[in-house]
Each structure stands twice: as structure tokens, then as C-alpha cells.
Amino acid sequence: MMRLELVKRPQRSMLFSALSPFIAFVLTMIAGAIMFALLGVNPLNAFQIYFIEPISQVWQLHELAIKAAPLILIAVGLSVCYKANIWNIGAEGQFILGGIVGSIIPVLFPQFEGPLVLPLMLLLGMVGGAAYAAIPALLKTRFNTNEILTSLMLVYVAQLFLDWLVRGPWRDPKGFNFPQTIQFNESAILPELMPESGRANWGFVFALVAAVLIWILMSRMLKGFEVRVLGSSPRAGRFAGFGLNRMVFFAFLLSGALAGLAGISEVSGAIGQLQPVISPGYGFTAIIVAFLGRLNPLGIVAAGLVLALTYLGGEAVQSALGISDKVARVFQGMLLFFVLGCDTLIHYRIRLIGLAAPKLETAPKLEEAR
Amino acid sequence: MDITVNILLTVATAATPLLIAAIGELVVERSGVLNLGVEGMMIMGAVGGFGAGYLTGSPWIGLLAAIAMGALFSLLFAIMTLSLATNQVATGLSLTLLGLGLSGMMGTNFVGQPGQRLPNLDIPGLTSIPVVGRLLFGQDPIFYISIALTAAVMWFLFKTRKGLTLRSIGDSHSSAHALGIQVIRYRYLSVVFGGACAGLAGGHLSLVYTPQWVENMTAGRGWIALALVVFASWRPWRVLAGAYIFGAVWIGQLHAQAFGIPVPSQMLSSLPYLATIVVLVLISRNKRLTMMNTPASLGQPFVPDR
């Protein structure tokens, strides 16, 4: 019988800090191969269909960008929260509210056209997402309520609210009773980047800009320093005069606004109207993206593209091999598991010891790093 | 009278999965571990229970499979957070995400299939007593398990030496370790117990509540169970009370929808989630009380130094 033992490293390992996402990816591949084999599919064939074919043509790269954009937008916002040790896991709800509030103009005022429409919609989307995120922030700061549970409960409420809107007051009167709003008019549609080669829209540009801005914020500005100090040691942050309550609001409003922007970009770009369901779980997958990208905005861009591929691959294996597209969710979950496990290697050395072996050596005395 | 009995019976049926999942999580949190994967373990129990019942034709095998599935799935969390000292919040989240995906994949062929239902208790003479007969002697077997489980956990935590040890680990793992207590072993057992409970709760959904497989059929109950533990300030009997209050809210909104109250059904459906938020606010606003009751080392990873 063997036992795992963790030995704390004197300082974090730069090597494993860089390597761990790749180790995690390889481990996910191995586990995925086993899974495909269990499903009775040749793993190599499945991988070809899952990971290679969906990105082998230019128009498919556009589809990848469409899926990656909301993931990156939401995840860079969440990375600020998680760095500050604030747990917003309700981005899915903020995404939906962004989509709803941003759609007020094209749904209720369809006559309103012109170049002003789109910027206003995007702004309203951000306001909607931020306002919805303000609820758990307010409850946390005022009443000390656990933000994990409140932000998550609000996801269900948002989903039901959207469902009510598109089946009730906002339903297209000429839509044959389908639960959807009217098609947005031309000036409310987010333009495509390169219409001649594919469908990708400006949402992807927003995502890249947001990633760069958050990167600057976190690495070059005082606010970013504040986030990191409060996240790793609230006590030290208090001594430095950083307010924890203000930080809770800052993190929630920022991540909510970005999730809202992602929501309205998705609705006005990829969908073109409101439907009962506007997200295949982007808000939750973005949590994985944030961790896979090491809570670093630039890493998140890469992670967002990888996770977007898992969505496309899931659709591909469903149509080619008849496997449920839930396989995408399994890949995403496994990836996060392995990333978290590999991250242990950054702070600890892992030693396998037999239970019977005598413990002779003593651990080096180390100052508590944290 | 019959209507009242029927409503009470449905409330008990709605409360039972919440109670079982929350009681399991209470033990886990009392040992100082925060497992946010309840929703994932529950849905795995639901799909495992339905699948085993459907394939073997025996709901009892389904029941065992649900428990085993939840326990097995929680072991994944235990290895990660206890042996590899990963962040408990993130690991719990990933357990939920993985569970929702995996259950959807495993259940592809179960959608729309008729399921097995655990039979209600039927004791000749007793069950037919008017009013109380069906309430006391005519419910599904998991209802009785849930009550017994609550009593057992109450007794274990507060009346046994091992229970005291477990609570002390939750309050200070380093002191417990210094006293020579096997912190990690206790926590492993707690987490797996919590997983078995969550699996059983999921099994209740797919073997009693609605004997069929529907994707995401837990519908946030795992998260509500987590909230119940906070609401109950980590006391088993308060979990029992809370679970029945929430069961009543859940059933109340269903009845209101059936009666055709002129309120959008979506608004009624959102009531349990809104009620959760309200209850959390009410219970958390007293900061000192919450601080006093929360296991002090809840959610902190523990790496024994020798």
C-alpha cells in the first residue's frame, strides 16, 4: 500500500507553473482516450474528429472564435474575482441579464435605427450584467451572505426570467407562437469581422481587448496590486488601507459587466434574437477557462480557444459517431480536475512512500510561506 | 382531511432529498471540508440509481447503486483536496460540472424510458389507520432512512467520542493533528459519507420522486442543500426543519401552478431559489452568530508536517 505525501517547496516552482496546464491537457487526453475506448470508439479516430477536423477549414476557425469570445470575456472578469478570493460563480446569470437588458432597444423600439443603436445595446448589456452581479456583492457586504450560493441561485432565477420574457411579454406576435422575440433589425446586429470567409463577429475583438486591458490592470496598476494583496492576505490588505468591501463590489461589478457584454454580444451577434436558452453554459465553462489560464488574462485567451474547441468537438462527435454532445462537458470537467491537481506540483513536491517504510528523514524546517 | 394528508406526503417527498444531501454535507463541513460538489454527486446518484434500476428491474439495486455512485464520485474530490491539497472551492465546482456532464452522457439511452419506483411501506392494519396511518407507516423507504440518518448523525456528532474528534478536526485541524488524530483519515471518511448521502438523495429523485431520467433533474437541489447547512448553522435538527420548510416551498409553488394562480409559472418556479437567498440573508446578517457556529478550519487545505 502506497501513500502520497506532500512536501512544501521553499518557493513556488516556475517550471511547473508553466508546465502544469500542458501536463493536465495530456492527462485529459489519456483519460479521454480511455473514455472513448469504453464507448466502443477507436480513440485515435475520435480524437481526429474531436480535435482536428473542427478546425481544419477557415470558416471553422470563425466558429471557434464565436465560441471562444464569450468564454474569454467572462473568464477574464472572473479571474479578477478569484484572484481577490471572491467567488462569483453566477456569471451564467449575469450573461443572461446582459443579453436581456441589452435587447431592450431592438425588442421594444424596433423602429429605432442608426449607428447609435449598437453602442447603446452593448452599454446596456454591461449595465445589466453589472447590476445583476451587484446583488450578491451587496448581500455579501451588507449581510455577510455567502456569495457562492447567492450568485448561483440567481442563475436559476435569470434563466426562468428569460424564459418568461420570450414566452410572455416579449414574444414575437407574428412568430407562430414560437418562444422567441422578433428578429433584431440590421443596425442592432453585431457586424461580422470578415463576412467573406466566415461568421465570426466583433465579440471576439471585444474579448481580446478586454483580456489586454485586464492584463494591464492586474500587472501595471495599483488596483491590480490591491486585488492580489487582498486575495492572498486580507489582513495585510487592511493594514495597507485597502477596503475589502469596496473590492467585493469592484470585482463583482467588473466581472458582471464583462459577462453582460458577452451576453449581449452573443445575442446580437451569433443569435440575432432572444430565445429561451441563449447560452450552452458559457458562464460555468468560463470558470474552467479562468483556472486553466492560470487566472492570467493572456493565458485565458489560449484556454478560451481550447475550451471553445471542446464545444465544437462535442458537436462533431455527436454527428459523426452518435456520441452525446455531453462529452464536451466531460472533457471540460476532466480538464479542470487535472489542472487543479497539477497545480499542487507548483507548491509541493509529491513523494510516494510505502506505509511500512520507516520514517527516518525529518522534513526541512521551512517558514510558512503564507 | 385527505387533501391535507396528501399535501403533507408530497412535502415529505420533496424534503427528503434535500434533508439527506444536507445531512451528509453537514458531516463533511463539520470535519472542516467544504465540498461544493453536492449537485454533481447528487446527479450521479440519480443517473446511477435510475440506470441500475432500469437495467436490473429492481429499484432496490438501483438504490444501492445510487449510494455507491455518490460515494465513488466523492472519492475523486477527497483524493484531490485531501491528498493533493487542492483548492476546495474550485475542486467542488469542477466536481459539479463533471457530474452534470458525465450524468448527461451516461443517461443518453435512459431518456424517456420507464423507471423503477421504490414501493411505499404497507403494513397491514397500521397503514390503513385514518390520517396518521399513511403519514407514519405508508411512505417510501428513503423517507425512513432520512429520518434515521438525521437521528444517527445527531447522536454520532454530539454523543460519541469519534463525533467529538470529528468536530474538533473541523475547528482546528492543526491542533487535532498535534494531538495525534488522523485528520486526513477522518476527512476521507466524512467526504465519502457525504458523497454516499448525496448519491442516495439523487437516487430518491430518480427512484421515488419522479421515477424517470431527465437531464439536470436535480435542478439546483444540491446547491439548496449546501445553503441549508449554513441556514441550520451546522446543527442536524435544524437541517431537518429547514429541509421541510424548503420542501413546503417547493410543493407550494407546484400546487399554486396547478391551481392556475394568475402569476407566471416561471415566477413561481423561481421561488425556491429566491427563498434560499432570503433565508441565507436572514441567517448570515448576525455576523457573530455565524462566526461562532462555522467550523473554524472550514475550506482550508491541510498538509500535515511531520
Side-chain angles (χ1 to χ4, degrees):
Chain A
M1 172 108 178
M2 298 288 272
R3 197 159 63 96
L4 279 179
E5 195 172 76
L6 302 181
V7 182
K8 195 152 180 77
R9 293 179 193 274
Q11 66 233 9
R12 51 181 294 158
S13 154
M14 295 312 271
L15 176 69
F16 280 110
S17 197
L19 270 186
S20 113
F22 297 98
I23 303 175
F25 192 75
V26 171
L27 288 173
T28 309
M29 285 297 160
I30 295 170
I34 295 171
M35 184 178 72
F36 280 127
L38 286 176
L39 288 168
V41 182
N42 178 0
L44 283 180
N45 184 19
F47 279 159
Q48 164 80 15
I49 296 170
Y50 199 109
F51 291 104
I52 313 283
E53 279 177 17
I55 45 170
S56 50
Q57 280 165 16
V58 176
W59 68 268
Q60 290 173 312
L61 292 177
H62 281 259
E63 296 300 312
L64 189 75
I66 287 177
K67 290 267 189 301
L71 292 175
I72 296 169
L73 261 178
I74 302 170
V76 287
L78 292 182
S79 71
V80 175
C81 285
Y82 299 165
K83 270 255 154 94
N85 225 346
I86 293 162
W87 295 94
N88 175 8
I89 62 170
E92 180 83 359
Q94 293 140 26
F95 178 96
I96 293 173
L97 255 285
I100 292 174
V101 176
S103 303
I104 288 177
I105 295 176
V107 173
L108 297 182
F109 309 100
Q111 320 84 329
F112 183 23
E113 287 177 45
L116 255 180
V117 172
L118 206 52
L120 269 177
M121 283 169 63
L122 297 174
L123 189 69
L124 278 175
M126 292 174 79
V127 170
Y132 208 52
I135 301 172
L138 182 74
L139 296 180
K140 183 177 173 68
T141 50
R142 273 295 297 276
F143 302 114
N144 189 30
T145 313
N146 182 318
E147 77 274 22
I148 298 175
L149 295 170
T150 49
S151 63
L152 190 99
M153 288 294 137
L154 288 172
V155 174
Y156 292 98
V157 177
Q159 286 170 340
L160 287 161
F161 181 57
L162 173 63
D163 192 76
W164 171 69
L165 273 180
V166 297
R167 287 175 204 279
W170 281 17
R171 191 177 57 197
D172 180 4
K174 298 192 205 74
F176 305 104
N177 251 343
F178 278 113
Q180 56 194 30
T181 64
I182 54 167
Q183 291 277 350
F184 292 0
N185 65 39
E186 198 58 32
S187 51
I189 297 286
L190 204 57
E192 288 171 358
L193 284 170
M194 289 175 276
E196 63 281 2
S197 62
R199 295 199 309 139
N201 57 47
W202 276 84
F204 191 64
V205 177
F206 297 160
L208 296 183
V209 171
V212 171
L213 289 180
I214 299 283
W215 180 77
I216 294 172
L217 173 90
M218 290 301 285
S219 58
R220 295 282 178 274
M221 287 164 75
L222 181 63
K223 196 77 190 171
F225 179 66
E226 204 179 315
V227 169
R228 277 178 285 140
V229 170
L230 279 171
S232 49
S233 168
R235 219 170 112 80
R238 260 207 313 280
F239 286 133
F242 302 151
L244 188 56
N245 281 357
R246 256 186 307 138
M247 181 50 67
V248 170
F249 269 103
F250 174 76
F252 262 101
L253 291 179
L254 179 69
S255 57
L258 288 174
L261 178 63
I264 187 57
S265 303
E266 179 76 8
V267 170
S268 94
I271 308 176
Q273 66 189 151
L274 277 179
Q275 302 166 346
V277 176
I278 56 172
S279 158
Y282 285 136
F284 295 114
T285 307
I287 298 173
I288 303 177
V289 173
F291 279 106
L292 185 62
R294 320 227 60 83
L295 302 184
N296 173 322
L298 305 182
I300 285 171
V301 172
L305 290 168
V306 171
L307 270 282
L309 179 56
T310 63
Y311 273 117
L312 295 181
E315 290 165 11
V317 291
Q318 184 174 35
S319 59
L321 302 172
I323 297 173
S324 160
D325 65 344
K326 286 290 169 299
V327 73
R329 292 223 150 277
V330 177
F331 262 107
Q332 295 167 358
M334 287 197 303
L335 199 51
L336 179 53
F337 251 107
F338 285 124
V339 170
L340 292 171
C342 290
D343 277 2
T344 302
L345 289 169
I346 299 173
H347 296 289
Y348 298 98
R349 249 190 293 274
I350 294 183
R351 215 161 32 180
L352 277 174
I353 49 169
L355 273 186
K359 293 181 195 168
L360 287 176
E361 75 277 65
T362 47
K365 283 268 176 283
L366 298 169
E367 259 89 49
E368 255 306 302
R370 281 191 288 177
Chain B
M1 208 61 204
D2 250 13
I3 293 176
T4 325
V5 171
N6 276 336
I7 289 180
L8 284 178
L9 283 173
T10 48
V11 168
T13 313
T16 300
L18 296 175
L19 173 59
I20 297 178
I23 279 288
E25 178 68 14
L26 182 139
V27 174
V28 180
E29 293 193 13
R30 276 283 186 174
S31 80
V33 180
L34 178 65
N35 185 354
L36 291 180
V38 182
E39 181 87 2
M41 302 184 296
M42 210 164 161
I43 196 79
M44 287 302 282
V47 75
F50 180 92
Y54 169 70
L55 295 174
T56 62
S58 159
W60 297 100
I61 293 180
L63 181 70
L64 292 179
I67 298 172
M69 196 65 128
L72 209 64
F73 204 52
S74 70
L75 201 56
L76 207 59
F77 175 85
I79 293 170
M80 294 284 289
T81 56
L82 302 178
S83 291
L84 293 175
T86 58
N87 179 318
Q88 292 179 8
V89 173
T91 312
L93 278 176
S94 62
L95 196 71
T96 289
L97 294 174
L98 184 64
L100 290 173
L102 210 53
S103 63
M105 212 173 84
M106 291 167 66
T108 321
N109 297 330
F110 300 153
V111 177
Q113 301 293 342
Q116 297 287 332
R117 191 185 187 283
L118 281 170
N120 280 355
L121 198 65
D122 189 9
I123 305 171
L126 289 177
T127 307
S128 51
I129 298 173
V131 188
V132 291
R134 276 170 63 213
L135 284 176
L136 290 180
F137 306 107
Q139 302 212 38
D140 64 90
I142 302 182
F143 164 79
Y144 300 101
I145 297 177
S146 75
I147 303 295
L149 204 61
T150 311
V153 163
M154 215 145 54
W155 170 78
F156 170 77
L157 281 180
F158 299 101
K159 294 279 184 254
T160 68
R161 194 180 170 79
K162 286 213 157 65
L164 178 67
T165 310
L166 186 118
R167 285 187 288 137
S168 74
I169 292 171
D171 276 330
S172 169
H173 45 218
S174 9
S175 320
H177 177 66
L179 287 170
I181 294 167
Q182 301 256 15
V183 173
I184 299 291
R185 176 178 299 174
Y186 267 89
R187 287 191 167 168
Y188 255 97
L189 291 173
S190 307
V191 168
V192 172
F193 173 76
C197 286
L200 176 60
H204 181 273
L205 291 177
S206 65
L207 293 166
V208 175
Y209 194 76
T210 44
Q212 52 183 322
W213 166 249
V214 184
E215 237 174 62
N216 296 339
M217 68 188 296
T218 43
R221 284 185 181 81
W223 293 103
I224 292 182
L226 276 161
L228 271 178
V229 179
V230 180
F231 162 74
S233 41
W234 292 268
R235 302 265 161 75
W237 70 269
R238 289 192 196 164
V239 168
L240 179 79
Y244 275 81
I245 294 171
F246 270 89
V249 172
W250 207 291
I251 291 305
Q253 57 95 1
L254 285 181
H255 279 290
Q257 288 188 30
F259 277 125
I261 284 179
V263 172
S265 67
Q266 291 92 343
M267 199 175 134
L268 292 169
S269 301
S270 66
L271 274 181
Y273 310 112
L274 291 172
T276 308
I277 296 175
V278 171
V279 157
L280 280 174
V281 167
L282 290 179
I283 206 76
S284 319
R285 55 195 290 197
N286 190 338
K287 218 169 189 162
R288 226 190 39 191
L289 199 75
T290 331
M291 290 260 279
M292 238 167 56
N293 286 312
T294 314
S297 58
L298 184 62
Q300 290 162 16
F302 173 67
V303 179
D305 52 346
R306 284 160 302 160

